[in-house]
Amino acid sequence: MRALLRNARITPKKANLVAGMIVGKKAEEALSFLKFTPKKAAKILYKVVLSAVSNAVNNYDQKKENLVVKKAHVNKGFVLKRGIPISRGQWHPILKRNSHITVEVGVENPKS
């Protein structure tokens, strides 16, 4: 039960900071955490986690209360290469990085 977002317009380094904070949390807790986190990556990850939860509820007949964020991967996407021209025909490169975001949710293990 997972959701993918390809070519999100955020660097993987910035998105990975927020993704690492939600792994292992209950899905509802992760959604409320992301809703009030003041980062651009939090808004993007909120939509991906919500999509993964919806996939689990609609496609696999799971209960929303029992879901836990098992994995959250942020991988490198394509890079837009831009630049600023400087003197003598040279230029300083600007790399606009993109990310592929994968979130997996699963049923939490009952604690005995």
Side-chain angles (χ1 to χ4, degrees):
M1 296 169 279
R2 67 181 184 161
L4 297 171
L5 176 63
R6 313 267 301 165
N7 300 321
R9 190 57 200 95
I10 189 166
T11 63
K13 196 172 188 178
K14 291 178 183 178
N16 232 348
L17 289 174
V18 180
M21 290 191 262
I22 62 168
V23 175
K25 291 188 178 187
K26 289 191 168 205
E28 291 179 334
E29 185 183 335
L31 287 171
S32 64
F33 175 80
L34 290 171
K35 192 170 194 174
F36 297 107
T37 303
K39 296 254 184 207
K40 179 181 176 181
K43 185 177 179 183
I44 296 168
L45 274 163
Y46 178 86
K47 292 179 182 180
V48 180
V49 172
L50 187 64
S51 177
V53 169
S54 298
N55 288 342
V57 171
N58 292 326
N59 299 341
Y60 298 99
D61 296 325
Q62 300 294 327
K63 296 198 185 236
K64 191 175 183 178
E65 302 83 36
N66 299 336
L67 296 175
V68 175
V69 178
K70 296 283 187 182
K71 294 180 185 175
H73 296 291
V74 181
N75 296 323
K76 187 172 80 166
F78 72 89
V79 179
L80 296 172
K81 294 177 181 169
R82 304 290 185 259
I84 294 180
I86 57 170
S87 63
R88 288 186 261 152
Q90 297 175 346
W91 68 306
H92 287 304
I94 296 175
L95 301 178
K96 297 180 179 261
R97 300 177 192 278
N98 293 297
S99 304
H100 299 318
I101 300 172
T102 306
V103 174
E104 290 185 24
V105 297
V107 180
E108 68 179 336
N109 296 331
K111 297 178 181 174
S112 322

